[in-house]
Amino acid sequence: MRRRRYSDLLRVLGWELGLLMVAGILVEALYVEPSRIEVRRSLEYVPALRASTPDLLLVHLSDLHLERLGKRERRAIEIVNAAQADIIVVSGDLIGARGSATTLQGFLAALRSRYGNFAVWGRSDYQNGAAECWEPEAVRRGGFTLLRNGSRSVGTPAGRIEITGVDDPASGRDNLRQAMARVPRSAFCLLVSHDPEVVETLGNWDIDMVFTGQEPKGVLRLPPVGALFGFPGMHDHLEGWFDVAGGVRLHVSPGFGWSGLPIPGLCRPRIDLITLRGGSPPTRRAHRVIERS
């Protein structure tokens, strides 16, 4: 009889412990995590840029899904501007379902860089109807160059950089051939796209680095298991740096915002601060994350 009561007690305690863990995860995901911005710093050596010249700082943002200029968005502006970026790229999904031109323009206009700010469209920008209505003008007024299968040349102390961008691949609007039409074969070239699967179609184009986003957060994570699942085609490139075919370096951002329910899947809003250093790496494995916060 005592054994049965002891077993029943353990079962009840197990259920209560499980419920407490679930409640803790929900509180973290809904109320704590959305306001805690993760700043990830990394260093990349670029042989195509001149050595012994000043480093270049590139800020990569993605999946903004802006709906308002709240405390989190204003903190992001402070972080980016304090970093004193040379170049800022935003790889798609700029506006949320309830966002406005005023919100988007206000956020983008507050971001500062030395040599230029660039953005591309993502899936939700078209689903919301903003990309074909008011959003292009809001991006322009916000001081960003919108790359719709096009490129821009940027002069820096370390050398000239070609920044290209393709339109939303998910809706079939991307055209890499058109985007690369004016890019010299010998140039150091960065490609911006919303979808990491773009690396499967690079072919023989002389592209050195690719910066992409993904679906909002892309994965659901539970500690200590980690990623439980991702969206189709994203299991190989969920977040961070990757070496892909042709010697190309791919950087995937897990995103700053999210769409739908405000549950970011235990992935904090991310801002990537990437140092581009001219010259060859001192070691074969010089690509590394140098700070997380």
Side-chain angles (χ1 to χ4, degrees):
M1 191 68 163
R2 290 182 178 178
R3 288 184 178 178
R4 187 171 182 180
R5 290 179 179 176
Y6 184 68
S7 177
D8 290 342
L9 178 60
L10 288 178
R11 190 179 299 110
V12 171
L13 289 175
W15 275 103
E16 289 180 348
L17 180 60
L19 290 173
L20 285 174
M21 289 179 63
V22 171
I25 290 172
L26 288 176
V27 169
E28 170 73 16
L30 285 169
Y31 301 106
V32 179
E33 184 180 303
S35 61
R36 295 174 58 204
I37 298 174
E38 177 182 4
V39 179
R40 182 76 61 87
R41 298 177 184 268
S42 59
L43 169 66
E44 288 288 311
Y45 283 86
V46 183
L49 296 179
R50 294 190 299 271
S52 303
T53 56
D55 292 342
L56 297 175
L57 181 67
L58 183 146
V59 173
H60 182 197
L61 293 166
S62 188
D63 299 272
L64 301 177
H65 294 281
L66 292 170
E67 296 194 341
R68 65 192 184 95
L69 286 179
K71 181 179 179 180
R72 181 169 57 94
E73 289 75 17
R74 297 185 189 281
R75 177 57 183 151
I77 293 170
E78 292 176 358
I79 292 171
V80 172
N81 289 342
Q84 298 183 338
D86 293 297
I87 297 170
I88 300 174
V89 297
V90 182
S91 52
D93 281 4
L94 279 66
I95 199 72
R98 295 181 294 275
S100 67
T102 302
T103 298
L104 178 60
Q105 180 179 326
F107 181 82
L108 296 181
L111 301 178
R112 301 283 184 266
S113 74
R114 291 185 179 88
Y115 305 117
N117 302 337
F118 304 88
V120 298
W121 289 151
R123 182 201 304 259
S124 71
D125 295 314
Y126 281 101
Q127 289 179 339
N128 296 336
E132 297 177 306
C133 185
W134 50 261
E135 193 171 352
E137 185 64 15
V139 172
R140 187 187 69 80
R141 289 181 180 274
F144 272 67
T145 297
L146 181 62
L147 298 172
R148 305 184 75 172
N149 299 319
S151 65
R152 292 292 186 276
S153 183
V154 178
T156 75
R160 188 159 293 278
I161 300 176
E162 299 291 333
I163 301 179
T164 66
V166 292
D167 211 338
D168 175 44
S171 56
R173 292 177 169 88
D174 57 315
N175 188 328
L176 184 57
R177 179 180 294 276
Q178 180 179 333
M180 295 293 294
R182 297 184 178 181
V183 178
R185 299 288 289 187
S186 60
F188 173 56
C189 180
L190 306 181
L191 173 65
V192 187
S193 170
H194 184 60
D195 193 337
E197 290 188 23
V198 71
V199 298
E200 298 177 4
T201 63
L202 296 183
N204 294 322
W205 295 110
D206 290 331
I207 295 171
D208 297 277
M209 291 183 176
V210 178
F211 295 87
T212 78
Q214 51 175 252
E215 289 298 321
K217 297 304 171 197
V219 295
L220 175 63
R221 300 174 183 274
L222 289 179
V225 179
L228 297 183
F229 64 85
F231 288 84
M234 294 183 179
H235 296 283
D236 294 333
H237 302 134
L238 289 176
E239 64 170 290
W241 284 103
F242 303 90
D243 289 308
V244 296
V248 177
R249 289 287 285 169
L250 166 66
H251 185 264
V252 181
S253 168
F256 181 79
W258 52 89
S259 62
L261 293 175
I263 302 178
L266 298 178
C267 296
R268 292 163 57 187
R270 171 79 68 80
I271 298 175
D272 278 279
L273 307 181
I274 302 167
T275 298
L276 302 179
R277 181 164 295 171
S280 299
T283 62
R284 194 173 183 180
R285 284 290 192 184
H287 311 289
R288 64 185 185 275
V289 172
I290 57 179
E291 181 182 337
R292 297 181 185 183
S293 63

